[in-house]
Amino acid sequence: MKHKRNFIKPSWHMPEHLATSESAFLNRRSLIKGLGLSGIALATPPLLGGNARAQEADPSASLYPVDRNEAFTLERKITPEKLNLTYNNFYEFGSHKQIHEAAQALPIRPWEIAIDGEVEKPLTIGIDDLLKKMPLEERLYRHRCVEAWSMRLPWSGFELSHLVQMAKPTSKAKYVRFETFQDTSVAPGQKQFWYPWPYVEAITMEEAMNELTFMVTGAYGKPVSKQMGAPVRLALPWKYGFKSIKSITRISFVEKQPVSFWEKLAENEYGFWANVNPEVAHPRWSQATERDLESGDRIPTELYNGYGEQVASLYTDKQDLGDRLYR
Ligand code: MTE
């Protein structure tokens, strides 16, 4: 569905009740399955088939599961993996939620990550060499989209601070900028020239060094699936989900505040900070509650998505930004 005024706007510009809900989608699937039409009517292989393919290509599979760090737990239960594998935002593969099939086209080996900018020595490292150097652990995190749906997942990976230490940034580095792959031969969404590809996100150095800032390489005790951002993505659980960039190929330490992908498109709606706050509405919808993707329950949103204890101090000297901190 397209926005009346500006067709480049993401589907987030649609109030949730107007979008096809994922439960309607899943019901449609089971109806079609019941009729024995799944292979014909839905050009979608069985879910496990898609996931197994992702794993076959992944030499890191033997690393998982990793030990859980019990310091990062949840009050509510983990969202079923099936939902996470079939309800994704990954605009490189389409501007809707059912991109899991298309995302299987992404080749995840070899996969190199450039680390550059204001560092002592720029380098390029393969994902499997990086995994050998980083201490892997599992954490249970909340995941809250700006669209107001939410999930809870077991991510595996490592704290970004370990990578920052390895990169040895200079004193000029004030921000960390992340970039996703760009390859129109596998990602049809990137042919949509009105989007400012590649997907870019950024955080401050202080945010990068916070213990919550996590580089995700696995989920549900396995390598992270392609649709969730294999082979490495970010998780910033106190911010809206669009900050958690997927399938990262470049990490740059920079002096000036970068402009991110959605910020370029609609900076007054999807800004640089994007910290979760129930009291600061999106310009066109409330953020007071979130919708649990599994149960459909509306749950009151918490400031910093419930992670205030870990992150509030990052923003005490930035209060003059007002609502900009939360959008
Ligand atoms: N990263 C890339 N490269 N491309 C994207 O379209 N979407 C973002 C974020 N990271 C996106 C991305 C948005 S809007 C959200 S809510 C989360 O990924 C969704 O992550 P999930 O599909 O694992 O739930």
Side-chain angles (χ1 to χ4, degrees), residues 12 88-92 143 145 149 151 180 199 228 233 241-242 244-246:
W12 313 332
N88 303 96
N89 276 330
F90 204 165
Y91 275 67
E92 284 81 347
H143 178 40
C145 181
W149 53 260
M151 304 191 197
T180 296
Y199 200 99
M228 282 193 253
R233 69 171 288 173
F242 67 88
S244 292
I245 181 172
K246 296 178 171 182

Side-chain angles (χ1 to χ4, degrees), residues 12 84 87-94 97 99 143-147 149 151 153 155 179-181 190 197-201 224-225 227-229 233-234 240-248 261-262 293:
W12 313 332
N84 242 307
Y87 190 90
N88 303 96
N89 276 330
F90 204 165
Y91 275 67
E92 284 81 347
F93 296 101
K97 300 288 184 281
I99 54 77
H143 178 40
R144 165 68 154 84
C145 181
V146 72
E147 295 164 331
W149 53 260
M151 304 191 197
L153 350 76
W155 291 128
E179 198 176 289
T180 296
F181 72 89
Q190 291 182 330
W197 307 111
Y199 200 99
V200 165
E201 260 308 338
V224 67
S225 66
Q227 58 268 43
M228 282 193 253
R233 69 171 288 173
L234 198 57
Y240 293 117
F242 67 88
K243 297 289 296 181
S244 292
I245 181 172
K246 296 178 171 182
S247 304
I248 296 165
F261 182 83
W262 292 116
L293 212 50

